Amino acid sequence: MNNFIKNIKSVLISCLLLSTNVNSQIVTTFAGNSNYGQTDGIGASATFFSPVGIAKDINGNIFVTDVETHRVRKITPNGAVTTLAGSTQGYTDGIGITSKFNSPQGIDVDNNGNVYVADCSNNCIRKITPDGNVTTLAGGTLGTANGTGTDAQFNNPYGIAVDNFGNIFVSDKFNYRIQKITSAGVVSTFADPSNGLYISEPLGITVDHDGNVFVAYPYIHTIVKINALGIPSIIAGGNGTGNIDGAANVATFHSPVDLDVDNVGNIFVADLYNYRIRKIAPDGQVTTIAGSTQGFLDGIGNNTKFSAPYGITVTSNNEIFVADLVNHRIRKISNYLSVEDIKLENLISIYPIPTSKYINFELKDCTVFKISIYDLNGRELGIIKKIDDKIVDISNLANGIYILNMITSKGILTKKIVKE
């Protein structure tokens, strides 16, 4: 009878494995800590003070607008944080820390490595070359005017996105419009209330490979698509305040502030007051991929916590980086899985489940780089002991259910295991 019960438990756990793999997103802290400041350094040794905007370049570097320090920070793929530009509050073009910004918000990078910043309180768009040279591309005075360079005017430019042709799209917050800027600094109106855009403040903005622009409207809890002709339409939200997942016409948000789109058309949203990261699939289906209640907690999926997720960017290898404003940290989300990721099940065998001491695993055509174990609250446990490349000792764990996370050469596999 005892063996029969164990077999039944193994079947139940196997059922759990598939559901875990489909929904497992691993949230970690990429840079920053609980202190606020402007210290450069590696990973958790660096400090930020209210990071807002975030973007990536083609080399895997991350760029962050640190609003309270009025700086633009650069983070390399290994987590090294430096100050690319900015120093104290002000308005000065120049090299590196000789330049000044005033509450920089949105940020994006073109294919040549030039960084563009919506310098909100200076009402202008700044350009930073890869060597840190800051110039004003457009604007510089408060108002509503199209034109070239400093002849153009903005009213609190907030979000910014660069397309594949070097055109720059800006959410001009209090002018209720989306502006388009050529690489030569010529500013024109791409969409405004005259062609159906909302009379509400647009914030986050992104653009896909087809030239469609997507805008987050936090005050009406709506995500809007503007096609290449400048015609807007709702793609999700607009149903009042809430955190309902589901089809686009029933899903709800609570102050979505930023968004980014991946190579296959998934849109990822920083849903500010739901403290969550949401995904809008190409068919309009909305799901929550990470976050729950306000706070700070690394871990897995809905067991994690953010406190004001403000900026979001998605890299070409499907990693998501979030500027967690109140936590003064940059968070990383790995392994938002597609159905194809379940193929890892055919490459890795893990047994026995349940187990009293050892976990064995067999590999086919892949390599394991790292193994971690989490409790069901999403806390990573530091007491795992690796015997060799194919055996892990969990005898120090208390009896119960845990989550095993394996980073491999073919992706990330997450399984529920039972210690008894």
Side-chain angles (χ1 to χ4, degrees):
M1 180 63 70
N2 188 46
N3 288 333
F4 175 77
I5 293 173
K6 285 188 175 182
N7 290 334
I8 293 296
K9 288 171 70 176
S10 296
V11 171
L12 291 174
I13 294 299
S14 297
C15 293
L16 285 171
L17 300 187
L18 184 59
S19 63
T20 302
N21 277 331
V22 174
N23 299 293
S24 54
Q25 287 75 38
I26 312 302
V27 180
T28 56
T29 296
F30 186 60
N33 57 64
S34 59
N35 298 315
Y36 58 84
Q38 56 194 36
T39 305
D40 291 338
I42 303 291
S45 68
T47 57
F48 297 84
F49 195 171
S50 300
V52 173
I54 190 166
K56 79 287 185 182
D57 69 10
I58 59 176
N59 297 315
N61 298 299
I62 301 297
F63 297 86
V64 177
T65 51
D66 205 17
V67 66
E68 293 295 340
T69 66
H70 310 285
R71 299 180 179 215
V72 176
R73 316 287 290 281
K74 176 182 177 180
I75 314 174
T76 64
N78 68 353
V81 180
T82 56
T83 298
L84 177 67
S87 51
T88 57
Q89 184 177 21
Y91 182 23
T92 304
D93 288 339
I95 300 290
I97 61 174
T98 68
S99 63
K100 294 182 179 182
F101 296 82
N102 190 355
S103 299
Q105 301 285 340
I107 189 169
D108 205 2
V109 188
D110 69 15
N111 292 331
N112 296 315
N114 298 300
V115 177
Y116 296 88
V117 178
D119 194 1
C120 185
S121 295
N122 281 325
N123 295 297
C124 65
I125 306 303
R126 315 287 289 277
K127 176 182 177 180
I128 312 172
T129 59
D131 61 358
N133 185 33
V134 180
T135 57
T136 298
L137 178 68
T141 57
L142 175 66
T144 307
N146 292 331
T148 300
T150 56
D151 290 336
Q153 297 177 332
F154 298 89
N155 191 346
N156 280 227
Y158 206 94
I160 193 166
V162 184
D163 70 13
N164 288 331
F165 303 101
N167 298 303
I168 301 149
F169 296 87
V170 177
S171 56
D172 196 2
K173 182 177 178 182
F174 291 122
N175 281 327
Y176 310 120
R177 61 180 61 188
I178 305 301
Q179 299 288 77
K180 179 180 178 180
I181 311 173
T182 67
S183 57
V186 179
V187 180
S188 60
T189 298
F190 180 66
D192 66 9
S194 70
N195 66 343
L197 206 62
Y198 287 104
I199 304 177
S200 183
E201 294 92 335
L203 290 192
I205 187 170
T206 192
V207 59
D208 68 12
H209 292 302
D210 297 321
N212 299 300
V213 174
F214 301 89
V215 184
Y217 281 87
Y219 305 110
I220 54 175
H221 317 292
T222 304
I223 307 300
V224 170
K225 173 184 174 181
I226 308 172
N227 67 19
L229 300 177
I231 300 173
S233 60
I234 295 176
I235 63 164
N239 303 308
T241 303
N243 60 2
I244 298 172
D245 287 339
N249 62 343
V250 300
T252 55
F253 297 83
H254 192 179
S255 299
V257 287
D258 198 19
L259 69 177
D260 200 10
V261 59
D262 70 9
N263 292 327
V264 296
N266 297 299
I267 299 167
F268 295 88
V269 180
D271 197 4
L272 180 63
Y273 291 126
N274 278 325
Y275 314 106
R276 301 175 185 212
I277 304 302
R278 316 284 290 282
K279 172 184 172 182
I280 308 172
D283 64 0
Q285 192 75 16
V286 177
T287 55
T288 297
I289 67 164
S292 53
T293 56
Q294 184 178 21
F296 171 72
L297 183 63
D298 287 339
I300 297 177
N302 292 343
N303 291 320
T304 62
K305 293 183 180 183
F306 297 83
S307 188
Y310 225 90
I312 189 168
T313 190
V314 184
T315 68
S316 58
N317 61 348
N318 295 338
E319 293 176 328
I320 302 170
F321 290 86
V322 178
D324 195 359
L325 182 144
V326 175
N327 282 324
H328 309 296
R329 292 174 169 96
I330 306 304
R331 315 285 289 281
K332 177 181 176 181
I333 306 175
S334 303
N335 190 35
Y336 63 83
L337 297 177
S338 64
V339 173
E340 291 187 355
D341 291 299
I342 301 174
K343 292 179 180 178
L344 274 175
E345 290 283 354
N346 299 321
L347 301 179
I348 303 175
S349 299
I350 297 178
Y351 63 91
I353 299 177
T355 182
S356 59
K357 187 172 184 180
Y358 297 121
I359 297 173
N360 302 276
F361 54 94
E362 296 179 358
L363 309 175
K364 296 179 182 179
D365 300 322
C366 69
T367 302
V368 174
F369 299 131
K370 182 181 178 182
I371 299 175
S372 302
I373 290 185
Y374 297 82
D375 65 19
L376 292 183
N377 291 318
R379 292 185 291 264
E380 185 174 2
L381 305 177
I383 55 178
I384 184 172
K385 184 165 60 176
K386 192 174 180 181
I387 303 300
D388 58 29
D389 288 339
K390 294 184 179 181
I391 301 175
V392 170
D393 183 354
I394 63 169
S395 58
N396 288 334
L397 295 177
N399 291 348
I401 299 175
Y402 297 90
I403 298 170
L404 178 72
N405 180 59
M406 303 180 71
I407 300 176
T408 80
S409 58
K410 296 295 181 67
I412 299 176
L413 185 67
T414 302
K415 289 179 174 286
K416 287 187 178 178
I417 60 172
V418 175
K419 165 71 187 308
E420 63 175 17

